Amino acid sequence: MKIQLSDHFTTGRLIRFVLPSVVMMICTSVYSVVDGLFVSNYVGKVPFAALNLISPLLMIMGTIGFMIGTGGSALVAKTLGEGDKERANRYFSLLVYTAAVVGAALSVIGIALVRPLALLFGADEEMLEYCVIYARIILIALVPFILQNVFQSFLITAEKAKFGLIITISAGVTNIVLDFLLVGVFGFGLEGAAAATAISQTVGGIVPLIYFCRKNSSLLRLGKTKLEFSVLWRTCSNGFSEFMTNISASIVNMLYNRQLMDIAGQDGVAAFGVIMYVNFIFIAIFIGFSIGSAPIVSFHYGAKNEGELQGLLKKSLVIIGITGALLAALAQALAYPLSMLFVGYDEELFRLTLRGFRLYSISFIVCGFNIYSSSFFTSLNNGIVSAVISFSRTFVFQVSMLFILPIFLKGDGIWLAIVVAELLGLLVTIFFIFSQRNRYGYFPQRRTAKE
């Protein structure tokens, strides 16, 4: 039976609705990891370090898709909840067209400036050419990459999460097969890995574009629109938290790399790259849950169903808490085999990676609450609160801890910076959850004795 945004959501129905989104994000993370796995084992440690060094730049440019997708889907879902499907489709069309135009401009700028930017990020002479080659190939496919990020949210709003999962799996399989052929079989090295990723991103971005351009059975379809700056402003301001999350994460990754270059050299950057790859897979569960549940929250907020909001928040926090504890335990159990899989060929690098991953993964206990809460306020069209939660945990606290903790804990301080940052971020999250409860009615109101 099809689950609709307007339904009442029990815990089981909520899990079934968000499950395609969770699997979709896991698949996205897994096929992102494949590049690193093949490059590390088939091309070498230096190209692998270069890939990790330049990846934050590519994520910064692609993050415009997350901002438009999350902020725009919240606005479109709210408009659907208000009963105005025609206006929702007009907004949807404007946002997709805008994402494509901005992506094309960023692609040209990025290709032209990648060399000086790689130097700015800390690339040494040995790594520089690898950074430039990899980035330029990826940037050719920046428009479909941005569209892929946009459609990940809108496919859920269109009640086509399963179709989104099929697209993601298809893109992932494309990447894995091409990595195997281009890197493992034909030996095209880093260029082959970049081409595999670019082609897979094209699949992920163009297939849903074709779907929405044609007559379809979903709630959304691309069509005529008009330039409405108020819609763009509301989308960008509401999705700003997701934009800042990705920008902050990319900047923080650069700072990690620079700190690790000073403390452990190229081995430190390579170890951090492995940890980030595995981290993407684990937190993808929280991100997928947040993306999958966001349109439900927006729809019922637009329909003024406070009782449904109360139930959604309570059920979601319980699910997040249980999942976080399980993921932290699983990460500790898998730290050894995963580290061996990526860098087992180098004993010193393996030990550094294993130690870092076991410390870093403690953060999984807490980070899910912060990720979900930021998305929850985006769904309520409150981009300011969402941005404060996101920016504080991903940038302010993490950067502070990244420079403070190594003074006292040396190398371990770098890996524990994320743990302390997430704990401090949780305090901010708790503050806003309670301070905004009366405004949105997602907590039941206490009844007085007279009532």
Side-chain angles (χ1 to χ4, degrees):
M1 182 178 177
K2 181 181 178 181
I3 303 176
Q4 298 179 319
L5 295 177
S6 56
D7 289 348
H8 166 66
F9 281 83
T10 62
T11 300
R13 180 169 290 181
L14 176 60
I15 292 174
R16 289 198 303 274
F17 186 86
V18 303
L19 188 59
S21 302
V22 172
V23 177
M24 179 174 66
M25 289 306 303
I26 292 174
C27 290
T28 300
S29 301
V30 167
Y31 80 70
S32 298
V33 169
V34 170
D35 271 0
L37 187 60
F38 274 92
V39 171
S40 179
N41 286 280
Y42 286 91
V43 187
K45 183 166 63 176
V46 175
F48 180 57
L51 183 156
N52 293 313
L53 191 73
I54 202 63
S55 289
L57 169 65
L58 306 176
M59 287 305 301
I60 287 175
M61 292 190 169
T63 201
I64 187 73
F66 289 109
M67 178 176 68
I68 293 176
T70 54
S73 63
L75 176 60
V76 170
K78 178 176 178 290
T79 306
L80 289 171
E82 293 167 348
D84 195 337
K85 186 175 180 179
E86 181 181 348
R87 182 160 55 93
N89 276 282
R90 191 174 75 240
Y91 291 172
F92 168 63
S93 300
L94 172 63
L95 295 173
V96 171
Y97 302 154
T98 300
V101 172
V102 173
L106 289 176
S107 177
V108 174
I109 294 171
I111 290 172
L113 298 180
V114 65
R115 185 178 297 275
L117 288 173
L119 289 170
L120 180 64
F121 292 173
D124 59 23
E125 185 177 350
E126 192 177 10
M127 297 165 60
L128 180 59
E129 289 306 316
Y130 289 118
C131 290
V132 173
I133 290 170
Y134 185 82
R136 283 180 172 167
I137 294 173
I138 295 293
L139 287 169
I140 293 172
L142 184 61
V143 172
F145 177 49
I146 287 176
L147 290 177
Q148 181 182 21
N149 294 335
V150 170
F151 288 130
Q152 281 181 343
S153 295
F154 276 118
L155 280 165
I156 301 166
T157 303
E159 296 180 347
K160 291 294 178 180
K162 291 182 179 178
F163 178 54
L165 175 59
I166 293 172
I167 294 171
T168 301
I169 292 176
S170 300
V173 170
T174 300
N175 193 29
I176 292 170
V177 171
L178 290 177
D179 265 325
F180 172 74
L181 293 174
L182 299 179
V183 181
V185 177
F186 298 115
F188 290 145
L190 193 63
E191 295 93 328
T197 297
I199 293 170
S200 69
Q201 289 172 348
T202 301
V203 172
I206 299 303
V207 172
L209 177 65
I210 294 172
Y211 173 79
F212 282 119
C213 282
R214 304 174 64 183
K215 186 177 181 180
N216 61 73
S217 60
S218 77
L219 297 177
L220 300 174
R221 184 182 179 186
L222 290 170
K224 293 182 179 180
T225 187
K226 60 181 180 180
L227 184 59
E228 298 180 71
F229 288 106
S230 61
V231 173
L232 296 177
W233 168 252
R234 290 163 66 188
T235 295
C236 293
S237 60
N238 192 38
F240 187 68
S241 61
E242 279 66 28
F243 178 77
M244 285 307 305
T245 295
N246 287 279
I247 292 291
S248 299
S250 297
I251 294 174
V252 169
N253 286 353
M254 296 175 204
L255 294 175
Y256 266 96
N257 287 330
R258 292 194 73 94
Q259 283 280 76
L260 287 164
M261 280 290 286
D262 292 338
I263 294 175
Q266 292 179 356
D267 278 2
V269 176
F272 181 63
V274 174
I275 294 169
M276 285 298 95
Y277 282 130
V278 179
N279 175 66
F280 290 157
I281 298 174
F282 279 77
I283 68 169
I285 296 174
F286 298 126
I287 296 172
F289 182 90
S290 300
I291 291 175
S293 60
I296 308 172
V297 174
S298 297
F299 184 94
H300 287 286
Y301 172 56
K304 299 183 176 8
N305 295 330
E306 291 187 354
E308 197 64 31
L309 288 179
Q310 295 168 13
L312 285 167
L313 179 60
K314 181 179 179 180
K315 295 178 180 72
S316 297
L317 292 178
V318 171
I319 292 170
I320 290 292
I322 294 173
T323 303
L326 292 174
L327 288 180
L330 183 63
Q332 295 298 322
L334 294 178
Y336 187 96
L338 288 174
S339 299
M340 181 63 70
L341 178 66
F342 275 91
V343 292
Y345 56 82
D346 188 311
E347 179 64 26
E348 185 176 351
L349 177 56
F350 166 74
R351 289 198 303 269
L352 180 62
T353 303
L354 178 62
R355 174 69 175 175
F357 182 59
R358 282 186 166 155
L359 294 176
Y360 194 99
S361 60
I362 298 171
S363 65
F364 297 151
I365 300 173
V366 180
C367 69
F369 294 109
N370 296 328
I371 292 170
Y372 174 76
S373 298
S374 177
S375 174
F376 181 73
F377 282 105
T378 297
S379 306
L380 296 174
N381 286 255
N382 191 331
I384 295 177
V385 170
S386 178
V388 171
I389 293 174
S390 176
F391 187 68
S392 62
R393 59 172 281 266
T394 59
F395 190 80
V396 176
F397 296 142
Q398 197 166 166
V399 170
S400 300
M401 293 303 105
L402 181 58
F403 285 98
I404 293 173
L405 292 186
I407 297 174
F408 305 99
L409 301 175
K410 306 299 181 182
D412 285 353
I414 293 180
W415 309 123
L416 288 172
I418 180 67
V419 179
V420 178
E422 291 290 1
L423 287 170
L424 294 173
L426 182 60
L427 298 178
V428 177
T429 291
I430 293 172
F431 169 78
F432 281 114
I433 287 288
F434 279 93
S435 66
Q436 299 293 312
R437 65 188 186 280
N438 292 331
R439 177 178 178 181
Y440 296 106
Y442 49 69
F443 276 179
Q445 299 294 319
R446 292 183 177 180
R447 296 184 178 276
T448 64
K450 293 182 178 179
E451 293 178 315

